C-alpha cells in the first residue's frame, strides 16, 4: 500500500497526519508513506524527525475572504498542482489523505486528475477553504469534532500520538510529578498556551502566584520558548511553581496535572479528553471563534471550564480555578466527564478506513454522516483561510 498524506503548515495539520502514518504502519508494516509539505511549515522538521519522507511542493495560501486576491491564486496553484502530481506519480500513490493546510488544495486536485481515491480529515468545527473544497471532490470525509460543518462529514475523532492516547494518568502521576520537580501530595495545575506560549495566560498566571502559594496549589507552567531560555524554580514556602520554556514530554505533563489551563485548539481538546484531564479553557479569539467551539462540547458535558481571553484575570483564578483545584471530588467528576468525550482510537479507526477505501472496499457503515449539505452556504462566507 502506498499512501500520500497532505497536511502542513501547523502542528494541528501535521501531528494528526503523522499519527495516522504511525497507525498505518502498525496495521500494515509494509505501507509506503509520503508526506506532502512546503518549505515554510513545521513539517520540514517534524516529518523527518518521525522517520517519514517529505515531498516538497510550493505553498499556495488562500485568502480569508472572496476578494480580488483570489485572482492571483490560479497561477500559483498551477505550479503547486504540477509539483503535487509529480510527487504522487513518484510514489505511485494508491490513496491521498488530506488534513488541510497549504498543501491540501493542490494535493486534492492532483489526486482527482489521476483518479486516485481521496480522504479528507477535518479537525475543526469550522473547516478551512482547502478541506471544504476537498469535501466536494470525495465522499470520504472524516471529522475530529462531532458538529463539524462539512459535506459528507463522519465523526471519527483526531488521530493522536500513541504516547498520549495510551497514557494512564493515574498510574504515571507520581513519576511525572517527580520528573518535573513537583510534590506528589499537592493539587497541580498545568498551564500552557501552545507551541509559543500565550502572553495573556503567562501574565495572569505569574500575577496569581501568591494565591497559588497560599492555597497550596503547585504549578507547572510552560511559558513558551520565546519567553524563556531555561527552566525557573519559583517555589515559595514549599509550594512548587516550576516555569519551563517548553516540554518535549506532554504525556508526562498531563500525567502530573489535575487540571490544565490552556487554549482550546482542536489538538489540545482532543488530547485532554483522551487522557481525561479537565481543562480551564481560554480560547484564542481568532477566525470565526473556532477555539471556543472546540471547547464547548467538553464544557457542556462537565469536563471543563471556559473563560474568554478578555475575562481571564487574577480574580477569576482566585475565585473559580483554585476552588476547583482544591475540591478533589469535583476534579474527579470532571476528569470522568472529560474522558467520556475523548477518542483514544481515532488513529487506528481512520487508518482502517483509509486502507479499506484504497482497496476499493466500503468504509465502515456505522459511522453516520453528520450533515451532507451543512456547509453549502458557509463555503461562500468570510471563513478562515486554508491553513
Amino acid at each position: 500500500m502506498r499512501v500520500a498524506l497532505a497536511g502542513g503548515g501547523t502542528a494541528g495539520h501535521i501531528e494528526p497526519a503523522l499519527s495516522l502514518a504511525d497507525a498505518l504502519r502498525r496495521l500494515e508494516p509494509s505501507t509506503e508513506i509520503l508526506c506532502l509539505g512546503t518549505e515554510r511549515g513545521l513539517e520540514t522538521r517534524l516529518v523527518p524527525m518521525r522517520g517519514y519522507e517529505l515531498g516538497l511542493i510550493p505553498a499556495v495560501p488562500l485568502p480569508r475572504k472572496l476578494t480580488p486576491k483570489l485572482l492571483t491564486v490560479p497561477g500559483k496553484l498551477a505550479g503547486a498542482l504540477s509539483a503535487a502530481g509529480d510527487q504522487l506519480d513518484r510514489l505511485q500513490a494508491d490513496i491521498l489523505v488530506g488534513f488541510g493546510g497549504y498543501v491540501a488544495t493542490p494535493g486534492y486536485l492532483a489526486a482527482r486528475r489521476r483518479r486516485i481515491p481521496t480522504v479528507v480529515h477535518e479537525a475543526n468545527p469550522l473547516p478551512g477553504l482547502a478541506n471544504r473544497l476537498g469535501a466536494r471532490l470525495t465522499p470520504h470525509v472524516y471529522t475530529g469534532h462531532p458538529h463539524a460543518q462539512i459535506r459528507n462529514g463522519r465523526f471519527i475523532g483526531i488521530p493522536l500520538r500513541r504516547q498520549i492516547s495510551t497514557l494512564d494518568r493515574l498510574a504515571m502521576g507520581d513519576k511525572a510529578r517527580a520528573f518535573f520537580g513537583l510534590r506528589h501530595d499537592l493539587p497541580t495545575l498545568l498551564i500552557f498556551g501552545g507551541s509559543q506560549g500565550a502572553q495573556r495566560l503567562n501574565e495572569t498566571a505569574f500575577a496569581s502566584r501568591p494565591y497559588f502559594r497560599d492555597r497550596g496549589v503547585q504549578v507547572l507552567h510552560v511559558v513558551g520558548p520565546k519567553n524563556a531560555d531555561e527552566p525557573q524554580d519559583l517555589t515559595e514556602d514549599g509550594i512548587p511553581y516550576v516555569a519551563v520554556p517548553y516540554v518535549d514530554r506532554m504525556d508526562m505533563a498531563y500525567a502530573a496535572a489535575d487540571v490544565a489551563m490552556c487554549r482550546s485548539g482542536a489538538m489540545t481538546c482532543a488530547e485532554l479528553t483522551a487522557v481525561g484531564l479537565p481543562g480551564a479553557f481560554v480560547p484564542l479569539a481568532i477566525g470565526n471563534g473556532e477555539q471556543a467551539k472546540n471547547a464547548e462540547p467538553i464544557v457542556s458535558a462537565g469536563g471543563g471550564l471556559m473563560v474568554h481571553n478578555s475575562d481571564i484575570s487574577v480574580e477569576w483564578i482566585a475565585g473559580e480555578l483554585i476552588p476547583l483545584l482544591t475540591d478533589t471530588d469535583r476534579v474527579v467528576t470532571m476528569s470522568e466527564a472529560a474522558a467520556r468525550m475523548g477518542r483514544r482510537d481515532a488513529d487506528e479507526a481512520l487508518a482502517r478506513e483509509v486502507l479499506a477505501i484504497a482497496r476499493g472496499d466500503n468504509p465502515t457503515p456505522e459511522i453516520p454522516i453528520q450533515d451532507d449539505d451543512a456547509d453549502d452556504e458557509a463555503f461562500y462566507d468570510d471563513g478562515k483561510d486554508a491553513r
Side-chain angles (χ1 to χ4, degrees):
M1 188 69 65
R2 295 176 293 272
V3 181
L5 304 177
T10 67
H13 295 132
I14 302 163
E15 287 292 349
L18 292 175
S19 295
L20 172 63
D22 291 345
L24 287 167
R25 286 275 177 86
R26 286 195 305 274
L27 294 177
E28 287 200 5
S30 62
T31 302
E32 296 179 43
I33 293 171
L34 174 67
C35 298
L36 303 183
T38 73
E39 293 182 347
R40 66 167 62 182
L42 292 176
E43 59 266 30
T44 57
R45 179 174 62 88
L46 295 179
V47 170
M49 187 167 58
R50 293 278 284 273
Y52 294 105
E53 183 182 0
L54 177 65
L56 293 176
I57 67 174
V60 185
L62 297 181
R64 289 180 178 271
K65 301 180 181 181
L66 296 177
T67 69
K69 289 184 179 180
L70 276 174
L71 298 176
T72 68
V73 171
K76 297 177 182 178
L77 185 59
L81 198 158
S82 177
D86 290 344
Q87 296 287 355
L88 295 177
D89 291 341
R90 180 169 65 85
L91 177 65
Q92 295 184 306
D94 295 306
I95 192 166
L96 170 83
V97 186
F99 291 82
Y102 292 146
V103 300
T105 298
Y108 294 144
L109 295 174
R112 182 176 177 84
R113 284 188 176 182
R114 287 157 176 79
R115 300 181 183 275
I116 296 172
T118 299
V119 171
V120 173
H121 183 277
E122 174 55 55
N124 296 294
L126 298 174
L129 287 177
N131 276 354
R132 282 190 274 179
L133 170 64
R136 281 168 165 68
L137 304 179
T138 178
H140 308 304
V141 181
Y142 299 91
T143 72
H145 191 282
H147 307 299
Q149 299 175 15
I150 189 168
R151 180 188 291 269
N152 293 327
R154 298 168 183 262
F155 174 62
I156 203 167
I158 298 178
L160 302 175
R161 291 168 291 169
R162 298 293 282 178
Q163 192 179 59
I164 301 296
S165 64
T166 61
L167 175 66
D168 185 335
R169 280 202 311 118
L170 295 181
M172 288 290 293
D174 286 348
K175 180 180 178 180
R177 293 184 184 195
F179 181 83
F180 292 108
L182 301 169
R183 289 171 51 173
H184 68 85
D185 60 336
L186 295 178
T188 306
L189 174 66
L190 168 65
I191 302 171
F192 65 100
S195 60
Q196 298 301 314
Q199 183 177 357
R200 179 83 178 186
L201 268 64
N202 288 347
E203 292 175 350
T204 307
F206 283 129
S208 302
R209 282 171 53 202
Y211 294 94
F212 293 129
R213 180 198 62 212
D214 292 347
R215 295 296 303 275
V217 173
Q218 62 184 348
V219 177
L220 173 60
H221 186 170
V222 186
V223 300
K226 68 179 181 180
N227 300 310
D229 296 323
E230 57 187 27
Q232 288 182 286
D233 186 350
L234 303 175
T235 298
E236 291 186 77
D237 298 336
I239 309 299
Y241 191 115
V242 177
V244 296
Y246 62 92
V247 170
D248 286 329
R249 293 288 305 275
M250 281 303 292
D251 58 320
M252 296 291 275
Y254 291 153
D258 295 301
V259 176
M261 184 171 78
C262 54
R263 296 301 192 193
S264 51
M267 285 295 296
T268 295
C269 290
E271 290 186 350
L272 292 191
T273 54
V275 303
L277 180 61
F281 298 109
V282 189
L284 186 60
I286 57 173
N288 292 322
E290 54 263 25
Q291 285 213 356
K293 292 182 181 295
N294 289 334
E296 282 170 359
I298 305 170
V299 174
S300 296
L305 307 175
M306 183 160 55
V307 59
H308 293 295
N309 192 66
S310 59
D311 295 332
I312 186 72
S313 64
V314 173
E315 291 74 21
W316 184 85
I317 287 177
E320 298 289 338
L321 185 55
I322 290 177
L324 165 61
L325 280 151
T326 54
D327 186 339
T328 302
D329 290 341
R330 189 178 173 203
V331 168
V332 169
T333 299
M334 292 181 72
S335 297
E336 293 172 347
R340 286 193 293 271
M341 297 293 292
R343 280 296 303 264
R344 287 177 173 256
D345 63 343
D347 55 345
E348 293 194 354
L350 183 59
R352 286 190 292 270
E353 297 293 298
V354 169
L355 292 171
I357 293 164
R359 295 188 185 106
D361 299 334
N362 292 323
T364 306
E366 56 266 23
I367 303 177
I369 293 177
Q370 290 162 269
D371 191 337
D372 191 46
D373 296 309
D375 68 324
D376 281 349
E377 295 182 4
F379 186 75
Y380 299 99
D381 69 7
D382 293 343
K384 64 181 180 177
D385 61 11
R387 285 175 289 176

